């Protein structure tokens, strides 16, 4: 009796690997007025990273995580990302990351340097990092990625805006940091095939979304929202259930 064998691995086409677990944070500070649930206190972040470490997991930047996964060496690593580039990252998040020997990727908006989160109509207004703040984070070992130029939904952008938000923001950040920018994060987590193609054309090595469904790929990676309410049990379940809910990613092991 003959047996059918998948020839993919022999021909250099390995099966897609499990999707990496990537935590999505935003602001780290006072969460007493937080209508969008984007803020965790430094104490909560400290507790969450400590719990991951006690389970043998270490949070790293997306660049470090993906490089390890490409080599088949990603066991024990999870991704840590911080969206929007809030000024409180330097004061509150960075010391906690250092305490737990973690790194992270910070997705910033070079078109809003020193501004605030004007795209959130309910507030509260939170200051964003200046150019000096972004450089400080980069010098501290944080990977800097683009969150677009001004926090625009790319699925609704015209061609000129799409180009500025992708190519334009990457060029500005490379000039600001003096280093190539490999990562992008879709504002609002919204993504479609046109946005993905724009990201690829702009030269990004990877991009993060939230729940891209069938579009899941290296340029549309899913992430898990982590908030103030994610105490021990919720954090454990979000990590354990992630692979059951997300699609594999081609090219990763």
């Amino acid at each position: 009796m003959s047996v059918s064998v998948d020839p993919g691995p022999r021909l250099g086409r390995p099966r897609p690997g499990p999707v990496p677990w990537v935590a999505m944070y935003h602001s780290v500070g006072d969460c007493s007025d937080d209508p969008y649930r984007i803020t965790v206190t430094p104490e909560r972040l400290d507790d969450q990273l400590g719990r991951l470490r006690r389970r043998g997991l270490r949070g790293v930047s997306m660049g470090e995580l993906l490089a390890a996964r490409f080599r088949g060496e990603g066991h024990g690593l999870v991704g840590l990302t911080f969206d929007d580039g809030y000024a409180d990252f330097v004061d509150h998040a960075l010391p906690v990351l250092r305490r737990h020997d973690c790194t992270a990727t910070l997705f910033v908006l070079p078109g809003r340097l020193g501004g605030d989160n004007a795209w959130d109509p309910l507030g509260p207004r939170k200051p964003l990092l200046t150019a000096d703040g972004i450089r400080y984070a980069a010098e501290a070992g944080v990977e800097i990625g683009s969150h677009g130029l001004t926090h625009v939904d790319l699925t609704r952008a015209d061609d000129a805006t799409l180009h500025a938000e992708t190519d334009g923001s990457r060029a500005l950040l490379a000039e600001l940091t003096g280093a190539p920018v490999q990562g992008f994060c879709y504002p609002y987590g919204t993504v479609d095939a046109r946005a993905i193609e724009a990201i690829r054309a702009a030269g990004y090595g990877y991009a993060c979304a939230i729940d891209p469904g069938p579009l899941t790929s290296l340029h549309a990676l899913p992430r898990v929202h982590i908030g103030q309410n994610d105490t021990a049990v919720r954090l454990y379940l979000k990590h354990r259930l992630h692979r059951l809910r997300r699609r594999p990613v081609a090219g990763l092991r």
Side-chain angles (χ1 to χ4, degrees), residues 103-116:
T103 60
T105 298
L106 178 64
F107 292 113
V108 302
L109 299 154
R112 292 186 183 271
L113 298 177
D116 61 31

Side-chain angles (χ1 to χ4, degrees), residues 49-146:
L49 296 187
R51 290 185 184 280
L52 290 175
R53 292 294 272 154
R54 288 190 290 275
R55 291 182 53 218
L57 302 170
R58 185 168 72 91
V60 297
S61 69
M62 290 302 301
E64 185 176 345
L65 175 64
L66 294 175
R69 288 290 298 269
F70 281 127
R71 298 192 303 267
E73 301 170 357
H75 180 73
L77 299 181
V78 297
L80 298 180
T81 62
F82 292 79
D83 290 10
D84 302 333
Y86 291 103
D88 57 32
F89 177 86
V90 168
D91 295 329
H92 300 312
L94 193 52
V96 179
L97 291 168
R98 286 170 169 163
R99 189 176 306 134
H100 293 283
D101 191 28
C102 292
T103 60
T105 298
L106 178 64
F107 292 113
V108 302
L109 299 154
R112 292 186 183 271
L113 298 177
D116 61 31
N117 56 329
W119 60 88
D120 286 334
L122 298 181
R125 288 291 153 259
K126 289 177 173 282
L128 304 178
L129 286 166
T130 63
D132 285 342
I134 292 172
R135 281 191 286 263
Y136 179 87
E139 290 167 2
V142 175
E143 180 189 18
I144 303 299
S146 173

Side-chain angles (χ1 to χ4, degrees), residues 228-241:
Q228 182 69 9
N229 293 330
D230 288 314
T231 52
V233 173
R234 286 170 58 95
L235 188 66
Y236 173 79
L237 290 175
K238 284 188 174 184
H239 182 258
R240 293 291 293 176
L241 295 176

